[in-house]
Amino acid sequence: MNAKRKKLIYNSVTFGLVILTYVLCSVFYKDMSRALRGQLIPICCWIVMAVSLNLVVGISGELSLGHAGFMSIGAFTGIILSGWMQKGFLIEDETLRLVLAIVGGGLLAGIFGFLIGIPVLRLRGDYLAIVTLAFGEIIRNVLNCVYISVEEGGGLHFGFIQPNLPGTLLLNGPNGAVSVAKISTFLCGFILVMLALIVVLNLMNSRTGRAIMATRDNRIAAESVGINVTKYKMTAFVTAAALAGMAGALFGLNYSTLIPGKFKFDQSINVLVFVVMGGIGNTLGSVISATVLTILPEMLRDFADYRMLLYAVLLILMMLLTNTPVTRAFFGNIRGMLTRRGPQEHVEANRGTGKGGGAK
Amino acid sequence: MSETIRKRNQDTKMVPVPSTSIIPERDIDKMPVLECKHLGIDFGGLTAVEDFNLIIGKTEIAGLIGPNGAGKTTVFNLLTKVYEPTRGSVMINGIDMHGMDTVDASRHGIARTFQNIRLFSNMTVEDNVRIGLHNQVRYGMLTGILRLPGYWKKEREQHEKAMELLSLFGMQDMGDMQAGSLPYGAQRRLEIVRALATNPSLLLLDEPAAGMNPHETQELMDNIIKIRDQFQIAVMLIEHDMNLVMGICEGICVLNYGKIIAKGTAEEIQRNPVVIEAYLGKQNQAEAAEAGKEAPKA
């Protein structure tokens, strides 16, 4: 089987599924329940978060636990930019504001990704995870005491731990952003998901992506063939941070209020759960699991207090079930059919390579 | 084939050059690829390598042998800048390597393989070679993401170069296989191909024949000579298989306890009593003379 064709099929299936889902959602938009409709934009955000975290965890092989931190940077940057444009410069065009907010959120999150990456990427393994976790918390705690207001004419005022600023408050410390103009659209979310997929999938099949994967698979060998490991780890980290920032801006502009406490450590873990459930390094898997796992807790709302308990049990069940030989064979058959080869042959080929690997 | 190798080896004349070393006669007018002067490294109180002096000619095949723990791989790590030497200097193509890192060493033309194979085992064979071509065929990250025309052109160039290199070892049909699933011998060959992809002027092979059967070893010997002739590069190898070392190495350097105890051609090394002692320990004269013929083959 040609490896290139395999990649092509995988990419087309990924894009095809996302486009199909978008078309279906647009067509049946009126028939959807209000709760589900409200979930569409957050789902897009979480898909982008999962795909971007997959770039760090799956493709560059570093466990980052502070991804929600970048999301919150993007969210509050987006909210402030949007509010600034609306109240300071009286720009009423919502699409323009949304696009600029998302670009700004992505840029600032990318810059923070770079700054945080400098010390963090010197570490490896568990230490890197701990430090990224700490950075996520630092970002949240700093945002908790930042006050920003805007005056007519475009003057911005900053303040730490003192809310008496002139003009309209955009960011009110621990109370977060209030009376935000909800300007996020599902279309924009869809475009953002496509953008994230294009960036990550195209990156994987390029010189840069191969270098990133090389640093993951064998750092010493990668250095020996002249790959600057820190540079490529940084590339992956900053790209992921920028994508998370963009998702954050879209997320923030979808609610009328947003507090920094929304982006706690458990949100980072949540995104990591999406990535692990979908299969580390598997972009399509991240997309699917982010979708399913965002809808699931909402559907469990009827169970009130037992919601998170059930969610945990379902997570464990899913992990167990998707790992049984029966389901594996089932997915193997589907893959076999997609690649236009008999399912049996596919299994044979797998066995063949397995044997070769053991020969030492 | 073995006979031709041996014959060819005998044709090589080693000539002495300053700093107490020898290189093949044909390389005497050219700048040596590698020049180590008083190279040494300490790990804490332990001196792993001391006063290591060596010159390697432009197209020489050199061997580095010695008992286990003699410091052979440490020398390779010093040359590829995994370690910074405590003393002495290394010159690659006349450039002082002081202050360089591993990436710089690769860019200045040192490529290596590893004693315990270090492939990118989750990737395909072709991708492994393409990663080796990282600094040879370049294009930017944005070109890759946006799939600009340069992407397609460079990708094709990478593919062609990778296939050309793989065909050196007859591996062009394995391009789509997962590197980790290859048989052991093929993995070793792939590591050499990946090292060659970086366009080196000095190829360091760390036990290239380990785990190979005699037939594969023979093939490897032919291939090393083929690589040298085709790319006009120098090769330095660490190996315990004395048939290989004595068969293809023009100059051999013997290391024991981090010090060079002998340098010379295969015949000289085989006859050298110090080398025999290092390998077999002290014996009485008669036994030593008897063992001398076989000694380094052990």
Side-chain angles (χ1 to χ4, degrees):
Chain A
M1 188 63 211
N2 191 317
K4 252 191 194 140
R5 233 185 89 199
K6 237 184 208 166
K7 274 180 203 157
L8 192 71
I9 291 172
Y10 179 85
N11 289 0
S12 348
V13 167
T14 311
F15 283 116
L17 263 180
V18 171
I19 294 171
L20 186 74
T21 316
Y22 173 70
V23 170
L24 282 179
C25 285
S26 316
V27 170
F28 296 108
Y29 192 75
K30 293 225 160 58
D31 302 325
M32 273 190 252
S33 69
R34 232 181 119 241
L36 191 59
R37 246 186 266 168
Q39 284 298 306
L40 287 177
I41 294 169
I43 286 173
C44 291
C45 297
W46 293 120
I47 289 178
V48 176
M49 288 296 288
V51 168
S52 61
L53 185 64
N54 203 353
L55 182 63
V56 178
V57 176
I59 296 165
S60 99
E62 299 292 356
L63 185 58
S64 164
L65 293 179
H67 216 48
F70 297 119
M71 194 186 190
S72 72
I73 290 179
F76 289 104
T77 311
I79 289 169
I80 290 161
L81 275 179
S82 165
W84 190 22
M85 280 186 278
Q86 189 188 16
K87 298 196 176 103
F89 299 104
L90 305 170
I91 300 171
E92 288 303 325
D93 187 343
E94 290 191 353
T95 322
L96 178 72
R97 259 162 51 209
L98 181 61
V99 170
L100 284 179
I102 288 177
V103 170
L107 267 179
L108 199 70
I111 291 168
F112 268 84
F114 179 75
L115 293 177
I116 290 170
I118 294 170
V120 161
L121 292 175
R122 287 163 177 269
L123 305 165
R124 290 177 205 178
D126 301 346
Y127 301 101
L128 189 137
I130 292 166
V131 176
T132 49
L133 187 158
F135 269 112
E137 291 298 291
I138 289 171
I139 289 168
R140 182 171 65 85
N141 282 311
V142 169
L143 279 172
N144 252 335
C145 46
V146 175
Y147 296 84
I148 296 176
S149 75
V150 62
E151 271 185 309
E152 240 168 271
L156 272 182
H157 295 273
F158 293 86
F160 279 100
I161 327 182
Q162 54 119 358
N164 306 321
L165 296 170
T168 328
L169 267 181
L170 289 175
L171 198 56
N172 190 10
N175 293 328
V178 283
S179 60
V180 180
K182 289 164 70 173
I183 53 175
S184 292
T185 59
F186 182 41
L187 175 69
C188 190
F190 166 71
I191 292 171
L192 199 57
V193 170
M194 291 299 280
L195 178 79
L197 286 176
I198 288 171
V199 167
V200 171
L201 291 177
N202 281 358
L203 189 67
M204 273 173 82
N205 296 325
S206 73
R207 172 176 171 266
T208 316
R210 278 191 292 269
I212 293 171
M213 288 188 274
T215 62
R216 169 198 68 189
D217 272 15
N218 203 318
R219 192 189 179 103
I220 293 170
E223 275 179 344
S224 87
V225 294
I227 290 174
N228 187 340
V229 172
T230 316
K231 178 181 157 192
Y232 284 100
K233 292 249 183 241
M234 186 66 99
T235 307
F237 198 71
V238 171
T239 311
L243 284 173
M246 290 169 123
L250 184 77
F251 190 81
L253 293 169
N254 186 42
Y255 298 99
S256 51
T257 56
L258 190 69
I259 54 164
K262 176 88 182 153
F263 304 101
K264 271 193 206 148
F265 166 61
D266 51 351
Q267 291 290 11
S268 299
I269 294 293
N270 221 355
V271 182
L272 188 66
V273 168
F274 298 159
V275 172
V276 174
M277 275 291 293
I280 290 175
N282 186 343
T283 309
L284 175 59
S286 298
V287 174
I288 294 173
S289 70
T291 314
V292 172
L293 295 184
T294 311
I295 298 175
L296 195 64
E298 294 305 317
M299 281 164 62
L300 294 174
R301 269 197 195 282
D302 298 343
F303 298 95
D305 290 347
Y306 301 104
R307 185 164 75 110
M308 288 326 272
L309 186 70
L310 270 176
Y311 178 65
V313 171
L314 280 173
L315 266 183
I316 293 167
L317 278 181
M318 266 195 261
M319 290 209 193
L320 286 176
L321 284 176
T322 46
N323 247 331
T324 57
V326 182
T327 40
R328 273 177 173 263
F330 174 70
F331 284 120
N333 283 352
I334 291 180
R335 213 172 294 146
M337 279 189 291
L338 280 176
T339 50
R340 283 201 208 140
R341 201 164 61 160
Q344 199 52 45
E345 201 184 336
H346 193 264
V347 175
E348 285 295 318
N350 275 346
R351 202 172 294 153
T353 52
K355 206 191 281 171
K360 196 218 140 167
Chain B
M1 202 60 191
S2 166
E3 283 312 303
T4 54
I5 290 174
R6 266 170 219 280
K7 194 161 164 286
R8 188 178 208 149
N9 205 11
Q10 276 161 14
D11 295 341
T12 319
K13 222 189 214 164
M14 302 296 281
V15 288
V17 288
S19 86
T20 69
S21 199
I22 43 169
I23 61 172
E25 199 177 17
R26 61 173 186 280
D27 293 333
I28 193 82
D29 301 331
K30 298 169 197 147
M31 176 178 282
V33 144
L34 184 80
E35 200 173 346
C36 304
K37 278 188 196 144
H38 310 294
L39 194 62
I41 184 168
D42 300 340
F43 295 118
L46 179 83
T47 303
V49 175
E50 205 185 352
D51 205 23
F52 185 87
N53 295 296
L54 188 71
I55 283 193
I56 295 183
K58 188 117 177 53
T59 60
E60 182 180 347
I61 297 180
L64 184 60
I65 62 171
N68 288 330
K72 305 183 291 292
T73 301
T74 308
V75 170
F76 271 24
N77 284 337
L78 283 170
L79 298 184
T80 52
K81 287 287 164 177
V82 175
Y83 303 137
E84 187 66 34
T86 319
R87 294 172 294 277
S89 68
V90 183
M91 308 266 271
I92 173 83
N93 292 318
I95 301 162
D96 193 346
M97 288 183 76
H98 182 76
M100 288 187 185
D101 60 13
T102 313
V103 175
D104 295 328
S106 161
R107 285 185 186 149
H108 281 88
I110 297 184
R112 74 174 291 186
T113 66
F114 296 90
Q115 194 173 355
N116 39 354
I117 300 174
R118 287 181 187 274
L119 285 173
F120 308 118
S121 42
N122 291 324
M123 284 185 250
T124 64
V125 170
E126 188 187 332
D127 280 352
N128 268 271
V129 185
R130 279 169 177 244
I131 290 167
L133 288 165
H134 183 79
N135 287 325
Q136 304 305 312
V137 185
R138 313 174 66 114
Y139 62 85
M141 180 180 165
L142 273 181
T143 316
I145 290 178
L146 301 174
R147 297 281 149 110
L148 300 177
Y151 169 81
W152 303 104
K153 202 181 118 209
K154 295 284 182 178
E155 284 286 291
R156 205 176 316 119
E157 191 183 332
Q158 271 197 352
H159 174 74
E160 278 159 12
K161 276 197 178 174
M163 284 301 147
E164 194 187 317
L165 285 163
L166 281 170
S167 64
L168 271 179
F169 285 84
M171 293 173 76
Q172 65 274 33
D173 297 330
M174 300 181 184
D176 287 331
M177 286 174 73
Q178 208 191 342
S181 72
L182 289 178
Y184 194 71
Q187 292 197 13
R188 286 229 172 263
R189 288 198 293 274
L190 178 57
E191 248 201 337
I192 299 178
V193 173
R194 185 183 68 191
L196 276 176
T198 64
N199 191 21
S201 48
L202 173 64
L203 180 60
L204 305 174
L205 304 175
D206 201 340
E207 300 200 16
M212 285 190 176
N213 62 35
H215 175 72
E216 284 176 317
T217 307
Q218 190 57 53
E219 229 171 304
L220 179 72
M221 288 162 78
D222 300 340
N223 279 326
I224 291 175
I225 291 193
K226 195 166 95 185
I227 288 167
R228 195 265 315 266
D229 292 345
Q230 195 171 330
F231 294 89
Q232 287 294 305
I233 59 173
V235 180
M236 182 174 182
L237 51 91
I238 294 175
E239 187 50 69
H240 286 297
D241 185 330
M242 287 305 150
N243 280 327
L244 187 146
V245 175
M246 299 302 164
I248 62 170
C249 291
E250 293 155 319
I252 297 172
C253 171
V254 190
L255 212 58
N256 196 19
Y257 296 113
K259 282 182 192 151
I260 293 178
I261 55 171
K263 268 190 256 184
T265 60
E267 286 85 45
E268 288 165 12
I269 295 296
Q270 271 167 326
R271 262 183 268 116
N272 192 321
V274 186
V275 177
I276 296 162
E277 192 188 308
Y279 267 87
L280 295 178
K282 254 200 169 105
Q283 298 178 0
N284 65 47
Q285 285 293 318
E287 267 176 13
E290 190 62 33
K293 290 165 199 159
E294 310 260 335
K297 284 182 185 162

